[in-house]
Amino acid sequence: IGLINKNKVAKLVRKYTGTNLNGYINSLRLEYAFRWMKEHPDAPIKAVALSCGYSNVRTFYRQFMNRCGQTPTQSKEKP
């Protein structure tokens, strides 16, 4: 089995996603969080964060804020 050069993977990820690998993974996590929150509106934010692969709720809040301009709690409160 051949190994893939990490620099080549990094270039491909940036080319097709416009961000680095961590940024791409975090965007997938947030997309999953949006769906999770719609499907489980009564779930605590900590449960949402953990279900999306965040081990730290503060990181989840920060990334959510950066992406949406509001906290997950504020987003849940909107109809």
Side-chain angles (χ1 to χ4, degrees), residues 26 28-61 64 71-73 75-76:
N26 288 332
L28 293 176
R29 287 178 173 165
L30 288 173
E31 291 297 326
Y32 184 76
F34 301 144
R35 286 194 311 269
W36 178 268
M37 289 169 60
K38 285 182 182 179
E39 293 171 7
H40 305 89
D42 296 328
I45 298 300
K46 184 174 183 176
V48 175
L50 293 175
S51 73
C52 299
Y54 289 94
S55 58
N56 185 317
V57 177
R58 291 174 118 184
T59 301
F60 174 64
Y61 262 85
F64 198 100
T71 68
T73 303
S75 177
K76 281 179 71 169

